């Protein structure tokens, strides 16, 4: 199961680990490069310093003689924090300076050397800045014109110490970076996992049957909130469909069982009581009538279900809504007249729409039949008007009457399946008429509008053009 | 009339065959699509009644195969799918009429009788005549015993349809489909109201009525 995934297997943790590694490697490379570069720069600087001093000392001997050189070397050697100096012969006999025990290769050759040295203990030195007793030196050795050997050097350990400081801080840096990035990674991973965890928890609750559960949305408006919002919208739709299904099943159970029971009772009593073939015949005819009504209810339910589930689809064609309305009105003019009503039309011609012609026709038929059935003025008579008009991007197909209308509080209710207001219970009908109209409106991305016609009801389909 | 019924529901089939027999027709039965196809292409029938959902071969595919062979026998499709788009696919596959289940037998009988006689000369005639009533399809004039009758355009089409099928039962849904071109289901007796108006115009003041109501089925115009 996905909910028990070990932490290290989650995408977030893996990605975080990968980026930490990448970051650390990049930092190490960058820092190592910096440290190497700076140690080279220091080394060059030191070599240049030595060369410059050697040059100055050689010039001193050339211009002012050996004595002046000895004085200069002595002065240099006794400075605080001084470098390393040797002025003597090639056998290691020190004349002036501060180092002894020079290796033979330094004394017999000219050039740049590195070697171990020890400080000449006999040489006077500054109490405050005693030179290192022993050490590792980098030095230049020169044979002077006077036959003396001059060696000028620097303690390398000092230089190495500097490099060590760089490398040390570099080490601290890497450790810091690793700790920081692991910390940041863990925080990020935890946050992401927590958000995903809430989504998982919600879906688990929903799977257990609590369909009204929703993924919580924070105020950050980030990608998780977008995901949660669309998940919630999907859940709303599913819940709505489930509720619809439940309503239908409940209503089917009630409204199909009732007439089925009636049907069965009729057949039973016909079997029991019919004395003559005529009685039998009459009973059978009522049974057929009842079953036709049942079939009609069933068909209406199916049509509503299809319209509600359907997306605007393949059976949509360009329909002349004006012509459909005119046809339906014409079909019902005589029916209205027989009912003592006057059916008139106010149809703007030539309004076309992508629609399902049969369903729009059926919806309009339902509205007109309702108007004829329930739209009589209390004093008798009245007018039924079928109107089609365009209004800002919509087409409004409406049927208005002068009947008692529908009280404001009941308007939302009458659209529901099988709902019939008390006053209409005595009339024949399935209670599905307006539900179908509403479903057809929904299929065409429109809506059913019920308004006061003062007096009477104006029921209309408002469909986007 | 010789009829082939391709239907897999045995009970429905035996009921239909018995009823068609009582109505004076000879009916053969095929219980699946393959058998039905073999029988339909091997013998001449006046009408085929084809269920849409059949074992071994789907009703629409049988129909398409027959039409591809040039077999023009009129076909009535029966289907539990009553939706408009199913009707359209059925008719597009070569069906001549479409009847959703459950149906009344009278409806089915009226429809196959109209289908079987579809190729009758009435289709091409410019003047239709029933007793003293005549209807000129070109000048759109209607007369009874020499007296002109003024009809609304829709009443004219209604009468034209009835007279084209004079002597045959036409049901209310057939009228709604063919005269108004709608397949919807009116709750009220809307067709009856139109028929009674038409009857008042053509039969009033005449001793012998031409327009007859056939109980439990529909209407018929005859002498």
């Amino acid at each position: 199961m996905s909910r028990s995934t070990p932490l290290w297997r989650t995408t977030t943790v893996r990605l975080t680990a990968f980026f930490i590694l990448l970051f650390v490697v990049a930092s190490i490379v960058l820092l190592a490069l910096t440290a190497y570069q700076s140690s080279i720069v220091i080394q060059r600087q030191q070599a240049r310093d030595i060369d410059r001093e050697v040059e100055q000392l050689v010039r001193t001997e050339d211009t002012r003689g050996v004595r002046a050189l000895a004085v200069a070397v002595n002065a240099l050697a006794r400075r605080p924090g001084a470098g390393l100096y040797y002025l003597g012969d090639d056998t290691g006999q020190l004349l002036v300076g501060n180092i002894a025990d020079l290796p033979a290769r330094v004394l017999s050759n000219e050039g740049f050397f590195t070697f171990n040295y020890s400080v000449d203990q006999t040489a006077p030195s500054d109490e405050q800045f005693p030179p290192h007793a022993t050490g590792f030196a980098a030095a230049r050795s020169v044979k002077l014109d006077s036959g003396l050997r001059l060696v000028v050097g620097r303690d390398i350990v000092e230089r190495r110490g500097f490099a060590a400081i760089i490398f040390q801080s570099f080490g601290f840096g890497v450790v810091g970076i690793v700790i920081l990035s692991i910390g940041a990674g863990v925080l990020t991973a935890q946050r992401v996992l927590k958000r995903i965890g809430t989504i998982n928890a919600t879906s688990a609750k929903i799977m257990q049957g609590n369909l009204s559960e929703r993924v919580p949305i924070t105020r950050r408006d980030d990608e998780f909130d977008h995901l949660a919002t669309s998940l919630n919208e999907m859940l709303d739709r599913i819940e709505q469909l489930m509720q619809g299904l439940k309503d239908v099943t409940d209503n089917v159970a009630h409204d199909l069982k009732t007439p089925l029971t009636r049907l069965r009772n009729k057949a039973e009593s016909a079997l029991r009581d019919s004395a003559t073939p005529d009685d039998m015949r009459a009973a059978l005819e009522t049974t057929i009538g009842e079953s036709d009504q049942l079939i009609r209810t069933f068909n209406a339910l199916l049509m509503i279900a299809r319209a509600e589930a359907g997306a605007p689809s393949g059976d949509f064609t360009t329909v002349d809504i004006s012509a459909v309305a005119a046809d339906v009105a014409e079909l019902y003019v005589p029916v209205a007249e027989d009912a003592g009503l006057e059916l008139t039309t106010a149809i703007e011609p030539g309004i076309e729409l992508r629609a399902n012609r049969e369903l729009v026709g059926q919806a309009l038929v339902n509205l007109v039949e309702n108007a004829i059935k329930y739209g009589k003025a209390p004093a008798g008579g009245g007018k039924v008007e079928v109107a089609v008009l365009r209004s800002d991007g919509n087409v409004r197909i409406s049927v208005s009457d002068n009947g008692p209308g529908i009280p404001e509080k009941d308007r939302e209710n009458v659209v529901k399946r099988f709902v019939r207001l008390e006053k209409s219970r005595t009339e024949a009908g399935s209670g599905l008429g307006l539900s179908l109209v509403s479903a057809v409106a929904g299929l065409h991305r429109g809506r059913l509008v019920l308004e006061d016609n003062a007096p009477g009801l104006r029921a209309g389909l408002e469909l986007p053009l | 009339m010789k009829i082939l019924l391709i239907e897999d529901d045995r009970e429905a089939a035996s009921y239909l065959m018995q009823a068609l027999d009582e109505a004076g027709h000879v009916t053969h039965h095929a219980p699946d699509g393959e058998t039905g196809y073999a029988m339909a292409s091997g013998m001449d029938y006046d009408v085929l009644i084809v269920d849409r959902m059949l074992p071994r071969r789907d009703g629409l595919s049988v129909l398409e195969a027959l039409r591809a062979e040039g077999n023009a026998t009129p076909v009535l499709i029966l289907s539990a799918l009553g939706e408009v788009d199913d009707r359209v696919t059925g008719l597009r596959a070569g069906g001549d009429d479409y009847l959703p289940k459950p149906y009344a037998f009278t409806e089915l009988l009226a429809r196959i009788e109209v289908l079987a006689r579809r190729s009758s000369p009435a289709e091409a005639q410019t003047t239709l005549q029933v007793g003293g009533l005549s209807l000129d399809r070109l000048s759109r004039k209607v007369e009874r015993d020499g007296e002109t009758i003024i009809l609304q355009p829709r009443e004219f089409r209604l009468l034209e349809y009835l007279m084209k099928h004079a002597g045959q039962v036409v049901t209310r849904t057939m009228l709604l489909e063919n005269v108004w071109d709608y397949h919807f289901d009116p709750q009220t007796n809307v067709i009856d109201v139109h028929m009674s108006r038409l009857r008042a115009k053509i039969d009033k003041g005449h001793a012998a009525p031409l327009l007859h109501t056939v109980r439990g089925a529909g209407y018929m115009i005859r002498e």
Side-chain angles (χ1 to χ4, degrees):
Chain A
M1 288 298 284
S2 62
R3 266 158 292 158
S4 60
T5 314
L7 197 64
W8 59 271
R9 290 196 61 171
T10 60
T11 313
T12 319
V13 169
R14 286 182 181 196
L15 272 180
T16 311
F18 174 73
F19 280 112
I20 289 174
L21 195 72
L22 203 71
F23 190 51
V24 165
V25 168
S27 317
I28 287 174
V29 168
L30 193 71
L31 285 174
L33 218 62
T34 313
Y36 178 70
Q37 285 287 356
S38 41
S39 96
I40 283 182
V41 167
I42 290 165
Q43 202 176 325
R44 283 209 194 117
Q45 181 75 40
Q46 235 170 26
R48 244 197 327 272
D49 285 352
I50 292 170
D51 286 349
R52 202 168 43 238
E53 269 183 17
V54 168
E55 204 180 301
Q56 271 172 7
L57 291 171
V58 168
R59 208 174 322 129
T60 308
E61 192 218 11
D62 284 353
T63 53
R64 287 155 57 197
V66 176
R67 184 165 295 277
L69 172 66
V71 170
V73 168
N74 192 42
L76 283 172
R78 296 189 57 178
R79 269 191 328 196
L84 306 170
Y85 301 94
Y86 169 89
L87 182 65
D89 64 7
D90 285 357
T91 63
Q93 190 58 55
L94 176 71
L95 195 66
V96 227
N98 53 11
I99 44 175
D101 303 335
L102 287 174
R105 59 189 170 93
V106 179
L107 294 172
S108 50
N109 297 301
E110 289 203 327
F112 208 82
F113 302 93
T114 51
F115 51 88
N116 286 310
Y117 72 89
S118 57
V119 173
D120 175 31
Q121 297 301 330
T122 59
S125 76
D126 197 304
E127 290 298 321
Q128 267 187 306
F129 302 100
H132 305 282
T134 56
F136 193 68
R140 180 171 287 283
S141 165
V142 194
K143 179 93 173 154
L144 296 173
D145 293 344
S146 56
L148 288 173
R149 183 160 293 274
L150 174 68
V151 177
V152 176
R154 291 287 187 273
D155 186 274
I156 282 188
V157 178
E158 228 170 84
R159 190 181 85 200
R160 294 236 163 129
F162 184 71
I165 287 168
I166 289 183
F167 276 102
Q168 201 177 35
S169 51
F170 155 78
F172 282 135
V174 168
V175 169
I177 285 167
V178 169
I179 289 172
L180 274 180
S181 38
I182 287 177
V186 167
L187 275 180
T188 315
Q190 266 179 352
R191 243 187 75 177
V192 170
L193 289 175
K194 200 178 140 207
R195 300 289 295 272
I196 290 175
T198 55
I199 294 176
N200 270 338
T202 310
S203 52
K205 277 186 203 155
I206 288 165
M207 277 186 280
Q208 280 161 17
N210 187 0
L211 257 184
S212 57
E213 200 66 42
R214 290 294 177 273
V215 181
I217 293 170
T218 64
R219 258 174 300 169
R220 282 181 218 127
D221 197 31
D222 56 11
E223 70 273 26
F224 287 104
D225 281 339
H226 296 169
L227 177 67
T229 310
S230 65
L231 279 177
N232 286 346
E233 277 165 9
M234 187 181 78
L235 290 170
D236 287 346
R237 178 82 179 124
I238 291 175
E239 194 181 16
Q240 194 187 326
L241 289 175
M242 295 288 292
Q243 189 56 46
L245 192 66
K246 194 178 163 294
D247 287 352
V248 171
T249 348
D250 290 355
N251 290 323
V252 165
H254 176 260
D255 279 68
L256 291 183
K257 267 188 177 172
T258 316
L260 270 174
T261 315
R262 217 157 49 211
L263 194 69
R264 198 177 184 287
N265 292 346
K266 283 252 166 64
E268 254 178 0
S269 71
L271 267 185
R272 199 175 51 227
D273 305 333
S274 296
T276 65
D278 274 354
D279 286 351
M280 200 81 102
R281 189 181 180 83
L284 278 175
E285 273 170 5
T286 9
T287 336
I288 290 175
E290 292 265 345
S291 65
D292 281 349
Q293 189 53 46
L294 255 176
I295 290 166
R296 195 166 279 158
T297 305
F298 195 69
N299 281 341
L301 269 177
L302 275 181
M303 213 186 271
I304 292 169
R306 287 246 187 143
E308 278 184 350
S313 62
D315 46 326
F316 270 41
T317 49
T318 302
V319 177
D320 185 340
I321 293 291
S322 310
V324 172
D327 280 352
V328 170
E330 189 224 298
L331 181 63
Y332 278 91
V333 164
V335 182
E337 272 174 26
D338 280 9
L341 295 163
E342 190 191 344
L343 195 155
T344 58
T345 57
I347 298 172
E348 197 178 313
I351 298 179
E352 291 191 336
L353 191 66
R354 293 286 300 171
N356 183 322
R357 178 174 174 269
E358 298 293 337
L359 285 179
V360 171
Q362 179 77 59
L364 197 52
V365 161
N366 288 5
L367 291 180
V368 171
E369 289 194 343
N370 274 352
I372 292 174
K373 232 189 273 177
Y374 309 116
K376 267 170 232 139
K383 267 177 77 173
V384 170
E385 189 186 64
V386 175
V388 176
L389 38 103
R390 217 188 296 251
S391 66
D392 31 87
N394 287 325
V395 56
R396 186 77 169 272
I397 312 158
S398 64
V399 178
S400 36
D401 62 48
N402 302 132
I406 298 176
E408 183 112 39
K409 63 175 168 61
D410 289 331
R411 285 188 196 151
E412 204 170 302
N413 224 12
V414 290
V415 177
K416 291 183 187 151
R417 291 184 191 92
F418 296 114
V419 168
R420 305 184 63 194
L421 298 181
E422 274 319 313
K423 280 176 244 163
S424 71
R425 289 246 173 230
T426 47
E427 291 274 347
S430 62
L432 288 170
L434 283 179
S435 311
L436 180 75
V437 178
S438 169
V440 169
L443 179 70
H444 293 82
R445 290 177 288 112
R447 61 197 182 101
L448 166 64
V449 188
L450 297 174
E451 290 165 338
D452 200 342
N453 192 36
L457 176 72
R458 186 187 297 121
L461 272 173
E462 201 176 84
L463 309 179
L465 274 170
Chain B
M1 216 177 1
K2 211 165 135 190
I3 301 164
L4 173 64
L5 170 66
I6 314 179
E7 160 73 86
D8 59 323
D9 181 345
R10 287 196 178 277
E11 201 147 322
S14 77
Y15 161 71
L16 258 186
M17 283 173 77
Q18 196 192 333
L20 287 168
D21 182 55
E22 279 164 16
H25 301 299
V26 180
T27 313
H28 293 170
H29 173 231
D32 63 72
E34 280 302 336
T35 319
Y37 170 68
M39 287 171 78
S41 46
M43 234 183 289
D44 272 336
Y45 289 99
D46 296 310
V47 176
L48 307 182
I49 304 173
V50 182
D51 186 26
R52 256 193 84 162
M53 281 181 274
L54 288 170
R56 292 181 66 200
R57 187 160 184 179
D58 160 64
L60 288 191
S61 124
V62 171
L63 188 49
E64 276 164 356
L66 286 173
R67 291 294 185 244
E69 287 169 7
N71 188 329
T73 315
V75 171
L76 172 68
I77 302 170
L78 296 180
S79 172
L81 313 165
E83 291 296 314
V84 178
D85 37 336
D86 301 319
R87 179 193 299 272
V88 172
T89 45
L91 297 184
R92 212 172 274 157
D96 300 281
D97 202 355
Y98 189 101
L99 190 58
K101 288 179 179 178
Y103 49 81
F105 176 71
T106 48
E107 183 79 43
L108 179 126
L109 188 63
R111 281 171 189 259
I112 57 170
E113 286 183 343
V114 164
L115 277 184
R117 264 178 253 171
R118 218 180 27 158
S119 46
S120 68
E123 200 64 37
Q125 279 170 359
T126 55
T127 312
L128 301 171
Q129 189 85 37
V130 176
L133 182 68
S134 72
L135 178 145
D136 189 321
R137 296 167 87 177
L138 294 179
S139 66
R140 308 187 77 80
K141 249 171 108 176
V142 179
E143 286 182 355
R144 181 153 188 196
D145 302 336
E147 266 178 64
T148 304
I149 300 171
I150 311 291
L151 295 180
Q152 304 286 330
R154 193 71 68 174
E155 288 170 339
F156 181 86
R157 285 184 59 187
L158 190 56
L159 184 61
E160 183 188 16
Y161 185 79
L162 285 162
M163 288 178 81
K164 242 165 65 182
H165 302 105
Q168 291 177 282
V169 177
V170 290
T171 65
R172 292 170 180 82
T173 41
M174 283 163 77
L175 289 170
L176 193 59
E177 281 175 27
N178 290 289
V179 178
W180 278 273
D181 190 25
Y182 278 101
H183 302 280
F184 46 61
D185 165 38
Q187 302 270 331
T188 50
N189 54 346
V190 55
I191 298 295
D192 294 340
V193 175
H194 282 270
M195 288 304 291
S196 77
R197 304 213 157 200
L198 183 64
R199 176 176 278 146
K201 287 196 179 176
I202 66 167
D203 276 344
K204 208 170 184 183
H206 294 273
L210 295 175
L211 247 179
H212 302 272
T213 304
V214 183
R215 206 163 166 235
Y219 296 92
M220 186 197 286
I221 197 161
R222 64 175 158 77
E223 270 182 75

